[in-house]
Amino acid sequence: MTETALRLDGLTAGYGALTVLHEVHAEARPGEVTALLGANGAGKSTLLAVASGLLRPSAGRVWLHDRDVTGLGAERLVRRGIALVPERRQVFSTMSVMENLLLGAHHRMGRDPRAAVRLDVDRVLGMFPALARRTGQLAGSLSGGEQQMLAIARALMARPSVLLLDEPSLGLAPLVAREIFSVIAALPEQGCAVLLVEQNARAALAIARYCYVLELGRVAKQGRAEELARDPAVHAAYLGGRKEDVDAGGDLSPGPDRPHHARSA
Amino acid sequence: MTGELAQYAVTGVMLGSIYALVALGFVTIYSVTGVINFAQGEFVMLGAMLATILVNDGTPLPLAALAAVAGAALAGALIHEIALRPAWRRVSVIGMIMITIGVSVAVRGLALLAWGSDPRPMPAFTPGPPIELLGAVVTRQALWVLATTAVALAALYVFFQTTALGRALRACAVNPTAARLVGISPRRMALASFVLSGAIGALGGVVLAPITFATYDMGLMLGLKGFVGAVLGGLANPPGAVAGALILGLLESAATPISSAYKDALAFLVLIVVMIARPGGLFGGSIGRGGL
């Protein structure tokens, strides 16, 4: 497929006087997971903040299905089809799982029939059986992994064409992270474009088709995921040095987070 | 003796009911926007004044009450759009609170210009002699106050728990960023919270008018009392605010035989003590948004 769902074109963005992103170009295509790797502070979350409308870029454009959506706020972009699963889940903690899911479909209220929303609730609960047993429970009382599932499920309730995921495995036990990654890997089957920011480079590369590596707010490398996984520099920086680990594939044990860890290893 | 106690209790609960409606207005706006709206009392004044004027002009009471509540809701919308909306993002929360104080002075001034300083009487909803209840003598209007507050609280509960707008308002109070990510506009929710608070406050004013008469400056003290009630409850906790307001009403009622002149001072004494001893309110928790 050559069509792009999301295209970031020369994005420069930051906070006040601090510029975090410098003229970044990136794309996410429908039916694929696109991974975005980089050390802490490389600008991955800032990029997602711009793409989701939480942060206005100081230069550059955001294109959604070849429409310019630059500068639209998050509350309007979600209506156009971009949904962000933010870092640290950000569920509505004092509200029930079901209420969180219904809020995910908030912008569809009054537009889509209730039955369609109900069907989607069943669909996303089918993807996360652990949540299906807890629909009445307060979101804040769920485990970290369940909250992450809820955050993804809530975003899917918006029926996005572009799903942005910020560090979905952060702080989760490997087994739980594995379950979440298997769901993320299946998302593109429905035509959704997934842009995945992840510290666990190994897990991200295992499910991604294409990958960007950000360093100090610029795209340092990009390419097909399996090629980048073999790239010695990427290997040394994000995958912990030993090539055999990559070839073994699919190992979700958390790799070293930062480049300097890798170098000292 | 028990009759006397019952009398104080009934008076206290009635006072507390009005404070509760004002307190809920504070809690609604604070939870959604983080701003303490010191113009809250003016909504009560507007409700009382509009209803009184309309009833005295011959409008049937239900229609007058409805128009007064709608008028105050509209005033809430105008206050938000004219005074607060342009300031979002440019002004700190403290600045926003200062703006609401300015708004309350302005509304009071306009009310003085428009309607003068004489108290305006309003007939009781159902005329008739007081009713004896548990040994206490209760005016029929006091019962109207209690019943109206009870119905309003139940309606608010249903609104916040079951409607899409109520759920969106709560979501915005719990996590404004996450709310934006699901398509809820914080500005619209801020507007909705001002409309809702205007309506709640005005409802209190309508039922209170036959008891205290409507005056242009009645909102000042009622607003402050409602604020004390809301702070007692923790500021972002609706049931806590209602409980805090009722406690304040009962305290005031109990203090009246000792010295009615210091009744008002009591509320502020309570506020100071609570702020020092339990800044998160009587019912635990910390000061912060996240309620509704």
Side-chain angles (χ1 to χ4, degrees), chain A residues 61-177:
Chain A
R61 326 271 348 145
V62 179
W63 301 86
L64 177 66
H65 301 296
D66 292 325
R67 283 197 161 166
D68 188 352
V69 294
T70 318
L72 290 186
E75 61 273 24
R76 297 177 66 186
L77 275 184
V78 72
R79 285 159 208 271
R80 304 282 190 104
I82 299 184
L84 169 68
V85 179
E87 199 181 347
R88 289 176 290 108
R89 355 268 190 228
Q90 309 248 18
V91 294
F92 298 108
S93 54
T94 56
M95 304 172 80
S96 73
V97 168
M98 183 57 81
E99 283 187 308
N100 271 269
L101 293 178
L102 292 176
L103 277 164
H106 177 79
H107 73 276
R108 298 166 56 196
M109 297 288 174
R111 207 180 52 185
D112 288 9
R114 265 161 198 261
V117 174
R118 283 282 158 188
L119 272 178
D120 279 344
V121 168
D122 292 342
R123 186 173 60 90
V124 299
L125 288 177
M127 297 165 77
F128 297 107
L131 293 180
R133 294 188 291 272
R134 306 182 190 283
T135 52
Q137 198 172 322
L138 291 186
S141 69
L142 298 174
S143 72
E146 289 161 350
Q147 289 192 19
Q148 186 63 58
M149 293 173 196
L150 179 56
I152 296 173
R154 184 182 69 192
L156 291 176
M157 286 298 296
R159 285 196 159 272
S161 58
V162 174
L163 183 68
L164 312 171
L165 291 157
D166 200 352
E167 306 268 11
S169 78
L170 193 71
L172 300 184
L175 211 62
V176 181

Side-chain angles (χ1 to χ4, degrees), chain B residues 52-65:
Chain B
T52 303
I53 289 169
L54 288 173
V55 165
N56 290 341
D57 276 356
T59 313
L61 176 68
L63 209 60

Side-chain angles (χ1 to χ4, degrees), chain B residues 133-200:
Chain B
L133 190 80
L134 306 166
V137 181
V138 188
T139 64
R140 287 165 189 249
Q141 191 60 31
L143 291 177
W144 272 105
V145 171
L146 295 177
T148 305
T149 306
V151 170
L153 293 184
L156 278 173
Y157 180 81
V158 170
F159 168 74
F160 277 119
Q161 294 299 325
T162 65
T163 68
L165 178 59
R167 199 158 53 214
L169 281 164
R170 282 162 58 216
C172 203
V174 175
N175 190 332
T177 304
R180 288 188 66 197
L181 290 175
V182 297
I184 297 167
S185 158
R187 297 287 166 275
R188 273 194 204 174
M189 291 305 115
L191 171 61
S193 73
F194 270 81
V195 168
L196 187 60
S197 296
I200 303 171

